[in-house]
């Protein structure tokens, strides 16, 4: 009995003759050249052919890459991943799994992180897809690298906003919340989680000259309203009690104890300029209901501290003191 097996993919042909127990076989290539001759039982011959096929695949298998051969021009401005170790003629090694943009295109070869790569080894480099295409204007990153190959204006942990792509040099132009701009590589940053909430915090910090980092907390920040709120009155003593991740913190009046959630876009830092234009020696009238166990009615300013005033006067029980403390927004200047 004669049996012939055809492999359409490779063009090879296995031709067998004999009985199940004793057979002879020839493995032919696509030009009918004899590659291997075998003798043995039917199962033994098939097992041997299988082993030969697996060995041949291991020897000839190339790193998974592109259908068409790569040329040096393909690597210009690219970002690559090393698929297996590459050793150059000088003994320098570019290690597997390395991801880099440090590529110089030479006359015939490539210089990748100071390792000379010959054309025969181009297939061991995988060109990664352009991440820039997926980076949107305004996207936030956290700087994760303090050991770059270039001078870095940002510290590790700073939050930066992506502005635009650069055609040459470092690909990402970014800015921090203090207005410092610099181009970065993708290796130096990580996309920040909770883009929406952190974007509100970034904008608030940018407007108020606060450096926004991973550790920046707005808790206990003294704030003022930039527009009226239906939920809380700006009495000059508002403080962020809880820095919520959604960019809508919970603020509390230190005078009244009232609290409300207010978006950061409606808040600004409370400064001395937000307080009334008072000075020591001014005569004032304390607003009715805003005495806060201090001077009532007419009083004299004896001191000013961080938006609060120190008053000389008499409280509702007739007690006199030169050290009553109230918020500047709770008094009205007389004359």
């Amino acid at each position: 009995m004669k049996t012939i097996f055809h492999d359409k993919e490779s063009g090879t042909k296995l031709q067998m003759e004999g009985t199940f127990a004793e057979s002879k076989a020839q493995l032919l290539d696509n030009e009918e050249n004899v590659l291997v001759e075998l003798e043995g039982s039917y199962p033994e011959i098939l097992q041997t052919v299988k082993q030969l096929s697996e060995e041949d695949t291991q020897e000839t298998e190339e790193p998974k890459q592109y259908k068409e051969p790569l040329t040096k021009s393909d690597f210009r401005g690219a970002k690559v991943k090393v698929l297996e170790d590459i050793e150059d003629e000088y003994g320098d090694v570019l290690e597997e799994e390395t991801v880099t943009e440090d590529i110089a295109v030479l006359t015939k070869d490539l210089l990748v992180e100071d390792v000379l790569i010959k054309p025969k080894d181009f297939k061991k480099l995988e060109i990664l897809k352009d991440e820039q295409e997926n980076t949107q204007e305004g996207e936030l990153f956290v700087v994760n690298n303090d050991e770059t190959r270039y001078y870095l204006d940002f510290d590790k942990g700073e939050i930066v906003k992506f502005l635009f792509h650069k055609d040459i040099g470092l690909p990402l132009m970014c800015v921090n919340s203090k207005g410092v701009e610099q181009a970065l590589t993708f290796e130096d940053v990580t996309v920040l989680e909770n883009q929406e909430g952190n974007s509100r915090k970034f904008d608030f910090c940018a407007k108020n000259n606060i450096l926004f980092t991973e550790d920046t907390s707005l808790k206990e920040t003294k704030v003022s309203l930039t527009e009226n709120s239906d939920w809380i009155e700006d009495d000059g003593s508002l403080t962020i009690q809880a820095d919520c991740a959604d960019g809508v913190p919970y603020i509390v009046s230190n005078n009244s104890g009232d609290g409300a959630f207010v978006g950061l876009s409606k808040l600004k830092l409370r400064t001395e300029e937000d307080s009334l234009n008072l000075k020591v020696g001014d005569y004032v009238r304390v607003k009715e209901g805003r005495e806060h166990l201090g001077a009532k009615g007419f009083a004299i300013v004896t001191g000013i501290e961080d938006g609060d005033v120190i008053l000389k006067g008499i409280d509702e029980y007739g007690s006199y003191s030169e050290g009553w403390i109230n918020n500047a927004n709770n008094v009205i200047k007389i004359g």
Side-chain angles (χ1 to χ4, degrees), residues 1-3 15-25 40 42 45:
M1 182 180 69
K2 185 175 183 178
T3 305
Q15 187 172 282
M16 300 180 64
E17 289 184 272
T19 65
F20 187 82
E22 293 186 15
S23 297
K24 292 184 178 181
Y42 198 93
I45 291 175

Side-chain angles (χ1 to χ4, degrees), residues 26 48 131 156 170 186 200 220 261 286 290 332:
Q26 289 183 328
T48 302
E131 295 174 77
K156 186 174 183 178
L170 308 178
F186 283 98
R200 293 174 181 170
E220 299 183 357
F261 289 98
V286 181
R290 297 292 182 85
I332 299 173

Side-chain angles (χ1 to χ4, degrees), residues 40 111 249 274 329:
L111 192 64
D274 298 322
N329 287 281

Side-chain angles (χ1 to χ4, degrees), residues 75-80 100-101 127-139 141 162-174 183-187 189 191:
F75 294 95
R76 197 178 301 278
K79 177 181 179 181
V80 301
T100 183
E101 295 176 71
I127 297 177
L128 300 180
K129 290 184 178 180
D130 190 359
E131 295 174 77
Q132 296 186 36
E133 296 178 0
N134 300 321
T135 306
Q136 303 297 318
E137 180 180 348
E139 191 168 7
F141 295 93
F162 169 67
L163 297 177
F164 58 86
H165 298 292
K166 291 187 64 183
D167 294 330
I168 58 174
L170 308 178
L172 300 176
M173 178 58 75
C174 297
L184 302 169
T185 69
F186 283 98
E187 284 71 34
V189 293
V191 175

Side-chain angles (χ1 to χ4, degrees), residues 204-205 207-210 218 220-226 234 238 240 264 266-275:
F204 178 84
C205 289
K207 290 177 182 177
N208 293 284
N209 198 32
I210 299 172
L218 298 177
E220 299 183 357
T221 300
K222 296 178 179 180
V223 294
S224 295
L225 298 179
T226 59
D234 190 347
L238 302 182
I240 293 178
L264 285 170
K266 299 178 181 179
L267 298 175
K268 66 175 182 176
L269 286 183
R270 172 160 49 95
T271 65
E272 291 291 343
E273 295 178 358
D274 298 322
S275 302

Side-chain angles (χ1 to χ4, degrees), residues 58-65 80-88 92-99 112 115-117 120-126:
Q58 291 174 359
E59 291 177 1
T60 59
E61 184 177 2
E62 299 289 356
K64 188 177 181 181
Q65 177 59 301
V80 301
K81 178 180 179 180
V82 182
L83 301 176
E84 61 180 87
D85 288 354
I86 306 174
E87 183 174 359
D88 66 14
D92 296 319
V93 177
L94 187 61
E95 295 183 352
E96 182 180 352
E97 296 297 322
T98 298
V99 175
V112 182
V115 177
L116 191 66
I117 309 297
K120 67 181 179 64
D121 288 326
F122 287 178
K123 60 181 177 293
K124 299 178 182 178
L125 299 173
E126 178 185 359

